Amino acid sequence: MINAAYDLLFILPLVLAGYSGAYSFIVPQDETVGLIRYLLPVLITAVCLSYKHMKNKGRIIISAVLLTGMLGFFLNLPAGERLKGLGTYEAVFELALICFGLYLAGELFNRSLKLRCVVSGLMFLALPISMVCGYTAGKMCSSMVLLYLLLNLTDLYQYVSNKEGDTGREKHLCFVAPFILGAFLVIAIIPVSEKPYDWAIVRRIGGLVKEAVIDLADRLFVSDEGGEAFIGFSGRGTLNGKIKKNDSVSLILNTMNGNDQNLYIAGRYFNEFNGRSWENGFDTDKDESRMDAVETVCAAMEDTKDGRMTDVIMKISLDIYCRDKRLKNLFIPSKAYVIREDEEKPGRAFKTAYYKLNRRNDIFAALIDRENDIDSTSWDEACKELGIKDGNISYEAYLSYRNNMNERYGESTAISEKMKVYMDELFEGADSDYEKCCRIEESLREGRYSNEPGELPENINDAASYLDWFMFEKKEGYCSHYATAFVLLARSSGMKARYVQGFMTKLNSIGDSEVHADAAHAWAEVYFEGVGWIGFEPTPGYGSRKGWKTYAEIEAEKSEVERKYADPHQGEGEESEEPGIEGAEENKKIEIPWEKILIPVFSGAVLALILFIADGMYKRKKYRAMSEKEKCLFLCRQYLHYFRRIGCTRDEYETLGEFRTRASEISEDKYLAFLDIYERLLYADENADEGRRKELEAMKKPLCSYIKERKKELKRENTVEDNEQILDF
Amino acid sequence: MKKKRLILLALFILALIGISFYGGAVTYVFLWSVIALPIVLYFYIFMVIISLRIYQKPDGRNMVCGRPSGFYITLQNESFFSFSSLRISFYSSFSTISDIPEDVIYELPPHSRIQKKTGLLCKYRGQYDVGVKQICVTDFLGVFSLTFNIKEPLNVIVAPARLRLFDSFTEGEMQDADSENRAYRSMPDIPVREYLPGDDIRFANWKASAVTGKVMVRELTGEERSGIAIVLDPRRYGEDPFEYLPPENKVTECVLGLALYYLEHNIPVDVYLQEREKSVCKLTAPKDYELLYEKLTGFCFSEERDMTGLLTDSPELSGYRMLIYVLQKWDAGTVAVTESLNTTGVPSRIYLIDDKDFDKESTAAGDTLLIPVGCETVIGEGLN
């Protein structure tokens, strides 16, 4: 039993490993049938091992069963197509042959521990090599190769160890293998990914650690002032002559429901320009931002009464975390209508939702150009749409806000005559303020971008001189210069415009987006009454009007595709008949194919009988060829074996005398007389003659009868005990 | 074992690199296998530890120092799996186990046992742990191992050895014991007084009489005794058994050996002991030796006891023919004892059981002989 288990432990993984590798070659991928496909190698291995380890009786029975099974299978194929039918199972026969070959290979390897270890090592090395070459072994194949290797290592360690006690390798491996097999069972359940591991958890932990370190460094080493002359949000409206790169992380953004290629996050607004810098700044305000959003939604709702609001505006949720502790401002995107502080990081992190504008098409331009009168009804509807209920965002508050915006940012800018001529030429043919703004934007975007435009000349001390210098002489600068020029030019045309400082970045659709200090930016916004603040990007190389397709455009495209690729024959041809339901059901007879059952069973039984007879004849012949002493020893061993049937087995280290003493407790002495003879034959080297042999042969019949009786008695005793237990219970 | 762990660690790193660059069953199964292997091996070791049964039993209840006795050890596996590798360590500081080398590795298949009969030899008298101390369990691949201490070690009380002292050890003993007036001849400071009518003339100190011109007699303090007094130092020095067991063993050996010696020479011996209170074991014949042996087998040394107290409570000590002190420390107290002994005029010996740096030669100070005895010095042969 131990030997059989030992062989099974080594041969089965080898067969399964080879089989699963061969399976993927022989059987097309769409015919995989799950774990049931491993039944074949397991069956073949079990049958072969049973043949090896069982006695003749067992082998005969297995042979008979196999024949019965094969015949039954063959007969169950349709009569005229038996040979052809067999052909469809060609793959099964191939795999069976492969399994048998692998079994034989396993038996060969089992003869030498060293050979087996070498084979397992080679199989292990073959795995990564095959993977690099493009062929990836499946989970079963990989598991079985590793299991085979581990079992061999365990056996090898046992072989080289010098221990005291029962150190048989077979026994040792059989009784420690459950631990190894248990582990591989768990491994079999764990799913595996086809993709390399992305280490998300590690990166997240690393991010947290990095953040903690930066925070600590900021607290210890960085003063609050920092950032001057570096690119970054400073909160001051200074136009520097030179700015340096700065890649520290200022903000971390996260969204789960959208992406924005040009996300503008405002931090501060300015309204007064003294020719050299912006003064009188205003921090972002939550209520103002929400009112701006509501105002835009009012216009969008009005505009898309017959269509969809998402053609014009789109909601995006955004989490903002201000990592740089030097930044004290509230950073929120334009048109943010939800601004909720994150309780875990108060004052630093906010959960927001904002509206992205669809700037790519004429719908938006038409929306702005149209007169958008907002009354209290439309305001309330918009608030309801956005889920805003608090009193700070009432219609009255909006009216007050609107006046405030007009006052704050409505002061017109004086420009030179030269600039007036330039502007007149620029605005020629422009119908609306939005069109004018677009032309200003395009005009400025034709300039050159430079991080080092140099200091402003000494004589620049007002807006007009700045504009003349920048537009006609310098024609280069960075975002602050261009945004300043835009705002001043827009104001000179009577529009309400403001200079905005903040960050401009791309928002990824999934995961965190880091906003570095380099992303600090300045841009311009213009207020369109009834629509809200609309941003413009005058800096060369930055942003462009992004948007998305409207619903109508998408539907039109879909129709076009359907029209182009529709089946030309659809709808033609006869109608297929539907299966009708029969009237009364007829009674069906169940016919049993007796010949298909009886023939295989009968054949199996006949084969078993023939084999039993042949086995008996062979044994008798072998017995006749033995010497008298050999016959006597054979008989004694046989009688000893009979006692096993009644639970009296001689222990490995038990002497015959000790066994006799033990057996005499359950058996009469006359049935144990053969033990004396056995002992004398083994140890006293007594010569056995024919008489002795006949004496032993004469003991057989009474002993067999006794054993049968004793077995019945034991069975009765066990039954009585069970009944008593049941009764007691 | 270290090499195997390093290999496992290298395979783990390789597996991490593998899954970072390649997906698929090969890399992930390899990673899970490398991660699962230490878990399985430690789980196996844990199961062995909770399933292993150890039985140990000495042969007979009485153990005697220096005399080997039978000792049985059984390792039993009652579980369904094999115990791959077990290594036994024994207590070896105060006892030795013969016939079982400590570097042997045992394997136990399921439902099997290993029984060993061996010899246990206790080196010192006293109470301490013997037998199996630790078991080291290694997994079936030899990668990890865990050593655990036996929860309930075998604690034995070992009786002192019965010794007959070597002749070289007892040289000069009888001479000192027999010399009655030796002390008075050499020590001028014997307390004496003028003869009064009725005094026993045998107690006359003729030397003093010659000096003073009057008949002077010795002042008797207490009852005169004709035997030997052996005083045993009852104090335990140190908290570590390594510190106190060897000297205490040697003290009891000395006392027993000396008592036997004198008894065999028909000299009565009084052995002074200090337990909760002073007790004196009076021995007059060799048959009384067993009495002393039993007394000393159960005697407990203690840190709270003191030699000085014992001496203070025993003024009768000056009436003995000879005094023997068996001490463990040479300190100010010991020096004071020596000096006080010199004033009594009674011949005395101090056996100092000490392995520390000390002048190993015997030294005499007046009639007091100081004999150092090492803790491991063999002072006699064992009695049957």
Side-chain angles (χ1 to χ4, degrees):
Chain A
M1 184 77 171
I2 295 286
N3 289 334
Y6 181 77
D7 283 343
L8 181 70
L9 279 171
F10 285 109
I11 294 176
L12 188 59
L14 183 69
V15 170
L16 283 171
Y19 172 84
S20 59
Y23 187 89
S24 53
F25 279 114
I26 292 172
V27 179
Q29 286 303 313
D30 59 353
E31 286 190 30
T32 52
V33 289
L35 286 174
I36 202 94
R37 67 182 184 264
Y38 295 115
L39 192 61
L40 181 65
V42 170
L43 221 57
I44 288 174
T45 308
V47 166
C48 292
L49 279 174
S50 302
Y51 249 95
K52 180 187 171 188
H53 290 282
M54 275 181 154
K55 292 190 175 149
N56 285 346
K57 218 182 267 183
R59 290 177 188 147
I60 291 167
I61 292 169
I62 287 176
S63 306
V65 168
L66 276 176
L67 178 67
T68 307
M70 285 192 312
L71 267 178
F73 172 74
F74 182 72
L75 289 173
N76 269 296
L77 291 172
E81 298 175 13
R82 284 192 174 128
L83 284 175
K84 199 175 164 187
L86 282 177
T88 62
Y89 292 96
E90 194 184 323
V92 175
F93 292 130
E94 280 180 25
L95 288 168
L97 214 59
I98 288 171
C99 288
F100 186 66
L102 287 165
Y103 170 80
L104 291 176
E107 283 289 348
L108 178 66
F109 299 151
N110 268 5
R111 287 180 187 277
S112 162
L113 173 63
K114 287 178 190 165
L115 174 63
R116 210 171 56 208
C117 290
V118 167
V119 167
S120 62
L122 289 172
M123 285 169 69
F124 175 68
L125 289 172
L127 282 178
I129 292 170
S130 65
M131 190 178 66
V132 168
C133 292
Y135 167 71
T136 311
K139 195 172 174 186
M140 176 62 82
C141 183
S142 312
S143 305
M144 288 301 113
V145 167
L146 288 169
L147 175 63
Y148 190 61
L149 177 69
L150 211 54
L151 290 170
N152 275 302
L153 287 174
T154 306
D155 207 29
L156 182 65
Y157 179 67
Q158 179 70 1
Y159 176 73
V160 300
S161 300
N162 192 11
K163 299 182 202 174
E164 202 176 296
D166 189 350
T167 59
R169 279 174 26 221
E170 292 83 4
K171 215 178 199 178
H172 168 83
L173 188 71
C174 289
F175 289 114
V176 298
F179 291 90
I180 304 173
L181 295 173
F184 275 87
L185 202 65
V186 172
I187 290 171
I189 298 168
I190 299 173
V192 294
S193 169
E194 292 302 318
K195 295 178 189 171
Y197 189 58
D198 62 0
W199 297 101
I201 295 171
V202 174
R203 281 195 267 124
R204 191 180 163 87
I205 293 170
L208 288 170
V209 169
K210 190 177 163 188
E211 202 175 295
V213 168
I214 289 171
D215 281 348
L216 187 65
D218 284 347
R219 278 177 212 269
L220 292 175
F221 302 116
V222 178
S223 68
D224 281 344
E225 291 202 1
E228 193 164 6
F230 282 90
I231 296 177
F233 183 84
S234 66
R236 292 185 291 272
T238 315
L239 273 67
N240 291 305
K242 184 178 174 182
I243 49 174
K244 298 178 194 172
K245 276 192 77 64
N246 183 0
D247 61 358
S248 63
V249 175
S250 296
L251 304 176
I252 296 176
L253 310 176
N254 185 282
T255 182
M256 292 303 285
N257 72 338
N259 66 72
D260 195 341
Q261 296 302 305
N262 296 317
L263 171 62
Y264 289 85
I265 302 176
R268 196 164 167 82
Y269 307 105
F270 293 87
N271 71 338
E272 288 179 16
F273 185 67
N274 63 9
R276 303 189 73 81
S277 64
W278 285 92
E279 293 169 343
N280 204 13
F282 298 91
D283 290 334
T284 46
D285 182 79
K286 288 183 198 174
D287 289 340
E288 284 182 8
S289 176
R290 291 199 294 169
M291 276 193 270
D292 183 35
V294 175
E295 190 172 9
T296 307
V297 167
C298 281
M301 283 172 78
E302 185 64 33
D303 185 69
T304 56
K305 264 188 181 149
D306 299 329
R308 288 167 180 264
M309 212 160 71
T310 50
D311 287 346
V312 178
I313 53 176
M314 187 186 290
K315 290 182 195 176
I316 295 180
S317 64
L318 179 67
D319 294 346
I320 303 176
Y321 169 55
C322 182
R323 161 96 75 75
D324 190 346
K325 288 197 167 45
R326 294 170 292 177
L327 302 175
K328 306 295 181 194
N329 297 68
L330 171 65
F331 291 94
I332 47 177
S334 303
K335 314 289 176 204
Y337 63 95
V338 172
I339 304 160
R340 199 164 59 238
E341 199 169 1
D342 190 338
E343 287 169 3
E344 287 179 20
K345 297 170 190 167
R348 309 296 310 165
F350 293 88
K351 291 189 184 299
T352 70
Y354 72 99
Y355 277 105
K356 187 166 84 166
L357 303 177
N358 191 353
R359 302 282 296 269
R360 73 182 272 280
N361 52 39
D362 295 333
I363 296 177
F364 185 79
L367 182 146
I368 292 182
D369 289 341
R370 197 184 63 235
E371 274 205 26
N372 296 298
D373 287 327
I374 296 177
D375 55 17
S376 60
T377 310
S378 56
W379 182 263
D380 292 339
E381 274 178 24
C383 285
K384 196 176 168 186
E385 170 71 21
L386 297 180
I388 294 174
K389 291 174 189 169
D390 63 282
N392 290 353
I393 316 299
S394 63
Y395 181 67
E396 288 72 32
Y398 160 68
L399 292 175
S400 170
Y401 154 81
R402 198 169 65 184
N403 290 337
N404 209 6
M405 292 298 109
N406 286 329
E407 279 177 27
R408 199 188 285 173
Y409 302 108
E411 191 180 328
S412 183
T413 305
I415 53 176
S416 63
E417 286 300 321
K418 192 179 178 186
M419 187 55 69
K420 274 186 194 163
V421 170
Y422 174 81
M423 296 300 285
D424 288 339
E425 279 178 23
L426 187 66
F427 291 157
E428 194 175 327
D431 298 328
S432 62
D433 284 344
Y434 180 69
E435 176 67 25
K436 289 177 183 175
C437 288
C438 291
R439 290 194 186 183
I440 297 172
E441 187 186 54
E442 281 165 26
S443 161
L444 288 169
R445 284 173 73 84
E446 285 170 7
R448 273 194 314 274
Y449 184 90
S450 169
N451 272 347
E452 300 175 29
E455 296 288 339
L456 292 179
E458 294 288 336
N459 60 335
I460 307 294
N461 50 22
D462 60 18
S465 53
Y466 171 79
L467 282 171
D468 288 342
W469 168 80
F470 182 72
M471 296 296 288
F472 301 129
E473 286 179 40
K474 193 66 186 174
K475 297 181 190 175
E476 70 173 12
Y478 53 88
C479 56
S480 298
H481 297 91
Y482 285 97
T484 303
F486 183 100
V487 169
L488 295 175
L489 289 172
R491 281 185 183 174
S492 71
S493 306
M495 288 181 267
K496 292 107 187 160
R498 63 185 178 183
Y499 174 84
V500 188
Q501 270 191 342
F503 293 91
M504 198 282 277
T505 186
K506 278 185 190 174
L507 183 66
N508 294 328
S509 55
I510 294 171
D512 287 346
S513 302
E514 285 185 345
V515 180
H516 294 257
D518 282 352
H521 192 52
W523 64 95
E525 285 183 350
V526 175
Y527 183 67
F528 295 91
E529 210 167 284
V531 181
W533 288 98
I534 303 300
F536 289 90
E537 183 50 79
T539 310
Y542 272 78
S544 59
R545 281 191 218 124
K546 298 278 184 191
W548 55 92
K549 292 179 184 171
T550 62
Y551 178 75
E553 286 170 341
I554 294 169
E555 285 297 308
E557 278 183 12
K558 192 173 158 189
S559 303
E560 180 64 22
V561 166
E562 282 172 356
R563 189 193 62 75
K564 203 171 172 183
Y565 295 105
D567 183 357
H569 300 297
Q570 193 178 12
E572 294 176 5
E574 296 171 1
E575 285 181 12
S576 58
E577 287 179 6
E578 286 185 6
I581 301 172
E582 297 284 341
E585 284 186 359
E586 294 174 10
N587 287 330
K588 285 191 178 174
K589 261 190 190 172
I590 299 170
E591 288 184 12
I592 299 172
W594 288 108
E595 72 281 5
K596 291 182 184 174
I597 296 171
L598 285 175
I599 293 175
V601 170
F602 183 71
S603 308
V606 165
L607 176 68
L609 189 64
I610 292 169
L611 289 174
F612 271 123
I613 292 168
D615 182 50
M617 284 169 67
Y618 171 73
K619 279 181 182 164
R620 271 194 289 279
K621 187 181 171 192
K622 201 174 161 189
Y623 181 75
R624 277 196 292 274
M626 285 181 194
S627 66
E628 294 298 334
K629 187 171 182 182
E630 283 170 349
K631 284 179 186 169
C632 292
L633 286 170
F634 173 79
L635 287 167
C636 290
R637 279 195 290 268
Q638 198 175 48
Y639 298 159
L640 210 56
H641 191 78
Y642 289 163
F643 276 86
R644 278 182 162 186
R645 295 179 194 170
I646 54 172
C648 195
T649 310
R650 185 184 163 205
D651 287 340
E652 202 177 336
Y653 300 111
E654 198 178 24
T655 63
L656 285 169
E658 287 166 351
F659 174 74
R660 188 187 178 134
T661 311
R662 196 158 57 83
S664 60
E665 289 172 15
I666 56 165
S667 173
E668 293 173 34
D669 275 344
K670 61 181 177 182
Y671 300 117
L672 299 168
F674 72 93
L675 288 169
D676 292 331
I677 302 170
Y678 192 25
E679 214 168 3
R680 285 201 295 276
L681 286 170
L682 282 176
Y683 304 118
D685 204 21
E686 187 180 276
N687 276 329
D689 55 8
E690 191 180 337
R692 182 67 80 203
R693 190 248 309 160
K694 282 187 176 166
E695 187 189 345
L696 280 169
E697 281 175 355
M699 288 181 194
K700 185 169 184 175
K701 207 170 173 180
L703 182 61
C704 286
S705 309
Y706 165 73
I707 294 292
K708 270 187 199 161
E709 284 301 317
R710 184 77 190 134
K711 264 182 91 171
K712 283 181 194 166
E713 271 176 35
L714 286 171
K715 203 173 173 181
R716 266 199 300 272
E717 281 169 20
N718 285 340
T719 313
V720 166
E721 273 179 21
D722 289 343
N723 287 337
E724 281 174 357
Q725 281 178 1
I726 290 168
L727 284 172
D728 286 343
F729 184 74
Chain B
M1 206 180 282
K2 222 180 201 176
K3 217 189 286 182
K4 289 180 188 172
R5 288 179 204 166
L6 286 173
I7 292 170
L8 190 63
L9 183 65
L11 289 173
F12 178 65
I13 293 169
L14 206 66
L16 291 177
I17 294 169
I19 62 163
S20 302
F21 294 99
Y22 294 95
V26 173
T27 46
Y28 280 97
V29 168
F30 181 55
L31 175 72
W32 298 134
S33 305
V34 172
I35 289 173
L37 190 61
I39 297 170
V40 165
L41 295 177
Y42 269 113
F43 176 68
Y44 170 80
I45 292 173
F46 172 72
M47 290 297 291
V48 170
I49 289 173
I50 62 173
S51 306
L52 176 64
R53 298 282 174 265
I54 303 169
Y55 304 102
Q56 43 182 352
K57 193 183 137 197
D59 201 8
R61 298 183 61 183
N62 301 318
M63 303 205 69
V64 177
C65 172
R67 191 185 296 175
S69 61
F71 189 68
Y72 299 90
I73 299 174
T74 304
L75 299 174
Q76 194 156 313
N77 178 2
E78 294 169 357
S79 62
F80 65 91
F81 57 95
S82 271
F83 294 174
S84 173
S85 173
L86 303 169
R87 188 179 293 180
I88 307 175
S89 308
F90 299 100
Y91 286 102
S92 57
S93 306
F94 311 125
S95 60
T96 52
I97 301 280
S98 57
D99 304 329
I100 303 184
E102 282 203 357
D103 56 354
V104 173
I105 299 172
Y106 299 97
E107 168 150 2
L108 282 170
H111 302 292
S112 69
R113 66 170 81 155
I114 289 177
Q115 264 181 321
K116 294 274 181 189
K117 187 188 171 186
T118 178
L120 172 66
L121 178 73
C122 296
K123 294 185 208 169
Y124 303 114
R125 166 249 179 229
Q127 184 173 1
Y128 44 86
D129 295 330
V130 298
V132 179
K133 183 180 177 188
Q134 283 178 332
I135 304 274
C136 178
V137 181
T138 308
D139 62 66
F140 46 81
L141 280 173
V143 180
F144 301 106
S145 67
L146 271 180
T147 303
F148 68 98
N149 292 333
I150 302 297
K151 271 185 283 189
E152 295 174 359
L154 193 65
N155 191 268
V156 295
I157 298 173
V158 183
R162 298 164 191 265
L163 294 180
R164 177 169 285 114
L165 300 175
F166 292 135
D167 292 340
S168 56
F169 195 76
T170 56
E171 192 182 336
E173 285 284 343
M174 289 310 300
Q175 190 184 351
D176 280 346
D178 278 345
S179 56
E180 275 194 49
N181 293 317
R182 179 172 167 271
Y184 308 118
R185 285 198 296 276
S186 59
M187 294 180 64
D189 298 324
I190 308 297
V192 293
R193 59 173 172 79
E194 231 180 284
Y195 174 82
L196 293 171
D199 285 340
D200 192 340
I201 199 63
R202 288 181 298 169
F203 294 120
N205 189 330
W206 300 113
K207 195 173 180 184
S209 303
V211 169
T212 57
K214 296 176 191 170
V215 179
M216 305 295 282
V217 293
R218 294 197 308 271
E219 271 193 37
L220 294 176
T221 53
E223 187 185 336
E224 185 185 272
R225 297 167 199 277
S226 58
I228 307 288
I230 301 177
V231 182
L232 179 146
D233 184 353
R235 191 170 180 175
R236 172 161 287 175
Y237 295 88
E239 290 173 357
D240 192 345
F242 288 97
E243 287 179 13
Y244 64 73
L245 274 180
E248 287 174 12
N249 178 62
K250 197 52 63 181
V251 162
T252 48
E253 275 184 10
C254 268
V255 170
L256 285 169
L258 287 166
L260 181 66
Y261 174 79
Y262 285 112
L263 286 173
E264 284 178 344
H265 286 81
N266 298 317
I267 298 173
V269 176
D270 288 349
V271 179
Y272 281 73
L273 306 169
Q274 173 89 27
E275 288 183 288
R276 285 206 192 95
E277 50 191 22
K278 182 184 89 176
S279 68
V280 182
C281 200
K282 293 178 184 298
L283 315 171
T284 53
K287 63 177 173 56
D288 296 331
Y289 177 78
E290 286 304 317
L291 190 73
L292 177 65
Y293 185 81
E294 271 180 41
K295 194 90 179 169
L296 284 180
T297 300
F299 181 75
C300 291
F301 293 81
S302 172
E303 287 165 358
E304 294 159 1
R305 290 174 200 154
D306 194 7
M307 185 77 165
T308 320
L310 179 61
L311 293 174
T312 312
D313 290 342
S314 310
E316 70 276 14
L317 285 174
S318 57
Y320 282 93
R321 185 192 298 184
M322 190 164 85
L323 298 173
I324 297 175
Y325 291 85
V326 184
L327 307 177
Q328 296 183 60
K329 275 276 185 255
W330 184 249
D331 52 17
T334 321
V335 170
V337 163
T338 314
E339 284 171 358
S340 74
L341 286 174
N342 284 338
T343 61
T344 61
V346 177
S348 53
R349 287 186 170 216
I350 297 177
Y351 287 90
L352 185 62
I353 312 299
D354 202 342
D355 254 339
K356 300 291 188 312
D357 291 337
F358 187 75
D359 183 357
K360 293 291 183 187
E361 299 294 322
S362 303
T363 53
D367 273 329
T368 303
L369 188 62
L370 181 67
I371 305 165
V373 179
C375 292
E376 305 298 331
T377 307
V378 177
I379 58 174
E381 56 184 3
L383 296 175
N384 290 332

